[in-house]
Amino acid sequence: MGLVATAIAMVVGLGLAGTDLRAQKSDLSSVLQQMDASAAKFQDVKASIAVDNYTAVVQDHENQQGTTAFRRTSGGMEMVMHLKAAGGQPYADLLYSNGQLNYYNPVQKQETIFSAGANKQEYDSLLATGFGATGKELSAAWTVTFQGMERVGGVQTAKLDLVSKDAKIRESYSHLTLWVDLSRDISMKLVMFQPSGDSRTATYSDIQYNSHLKSDLFKLNIPKGTPVQKR
């Protein structure tokens, strides 16, 4: 599905819109209706993130931890993420804004800039899958299955399984599973499954919702003179 879309897909999973599930029926139609009603409330979100990358062929897990933030702007969705390896060493810094993804590798001291170009609307939509997407938008882009209610991190969530209607995305990700806290409009957990059997699990905690995040948060502090590649 392309380098930019793959990178964007790596970081989706926070901020699905919704409202208090205690007063709604536990079925897909009700969940999507609640998303339609509350999507406009999403402004921004910041959270700690724990990532587990599983490689099936060698049955190996690679873990990272860090922070991430998303916000809705007049130009679309913006995202920033800072990850560290299991030992605490810097692993990756990413920033998506205005159809451009900046990826900084602090180990190799290399910055790579991916441009969405004419596909900006597609990639913004992919981010919105986890941030303020209405039920209509979600069901238009994905085949959605409601798999019941589960507790994640002590929070009651709605479990949704998504299969993309875009064949290119399905080539990279066979399906996604989200555990959504509808009372706070956020996803507590995301698993992305690849056709190879590999998967990526992201779990979120320490969540700050609609806290009017400062613009300085959505910048990367890259040392001057860092080599830059553009793709």
Side-chain angles (χ1 to χ4, degrees):
M1 87 180 143
L3 291 171
V4 182
T6 299
I8 293 301
M10 287 175 58
V11 296
V12 300
L14 281 169
L16 276 172
T19 56
D20 195 337
L21 198 67
R22 291 171 296 181
Q24 74 173 41
K25 298 178 182 178
S26 295
D27 57 46
L28 177 60
S29 177
S30 296
V31 170
L32 296 180
Q33 288 175 11
Q34 293 291 337
M35 292 174 64
D36 286 337
S38 60
K41 297 178 182 179
F42 179 83
Q43 299 175 21
D44 57 54
V45 67
K46 180 181 178 182
S48 298
I49 180 173
V51 180
D52 179 0
N53 296 294
Y54 174 67
T55 304
V57 66
V58 293
Q59 298 185 7
D60 179 64
H61 292 266
E62 182 184 16
N63 297 290
Q64 296 97 37
Q65 294 184 349
T67 60
T68 187
F70 293 74
R71 69 173 178 174
R72 190 197 304 277
T73 71
S74 59
M77 293 298 299
E78 289 188 338
M79 176 282 303
V80 65
M81 181 179 291
H82 305 284
L83 292 175
K84 293 184 178 181
Q89 299 86 356
Y91 180 81
D93 297 308
L94 303 97
L95 173 68
Y96 178 81
S97 178
N98 294 319
Q100 181 172 284
L101 178 75
N102 283 42
Y103 171 82
Y104 175 60
N105 186 320
V107 177
Q108 299 179 356
K109 297 185 180 353
Q110 174 71 53
E111 178 184 7
T112 305
I113 299 176
F114 303 91
S115 176
N119 297 314
K120 178 181 181 299
Q121 184 174 357
E122 174 188 345
Y123 300 150
D124 281 356
S125 176
L126 188 57
L127 276 179
T129 297
F131 294 85
T134 66
K136 292 184 178 66
E137 291 169 338
L138 195 71
S139 57
W142 306 83
T143 299
V144 185
T145 303
F146 176 55
Q147 298 185 335
M149 304 301 298
E150 291 187 7
R151 297 190 73 83
V152 177
V155 177
Q156 183 79 333
T157 67
K159 184 179 180 182
L160 301 177
D161 195 72
L162 312 179
V163 177
S164 178
K165 296 181 179 180
D166 187 326
K168 292 182 179 179
I169 293 180
R170 292 198 306 272
E171 289 176 1
S172 297
Y173 297 97
S174 54
H175 67 113
L176 282 62
T177 303
L178 296 169
W179 285 259
V180 185
D181 173 8
L182 298 179
S183 68
R184 293 189 299 169
D185 304 351
I186 57 175
S187 177
M188 300 296 295
K189 182 178 178 181
L190 163 70
V191 183
M192 308 182 73
F193 299 91
Q194 299 180 17
S196 63
D198 295 352
S199 64
R200 179 181 187 272
T201 301
T203 306
Y204 304 93
S205 60
D206 304 322
I207 296 163
Q208 301 175 33
Y209 176 69
N210 283 354
S211 58
H212 305 289
L213 299 175
K214 295 181 179 180
S215 296
D216 287 349
L217 182 66
F218 294 86
K219 295 180 181 179
L220 296 185
N221 295 319
I222 300 176
K224 293 182 179 180
T226 297
V228 180
Q229 291 183 353
K230 294 187 178 181
R231 299 185 183 182

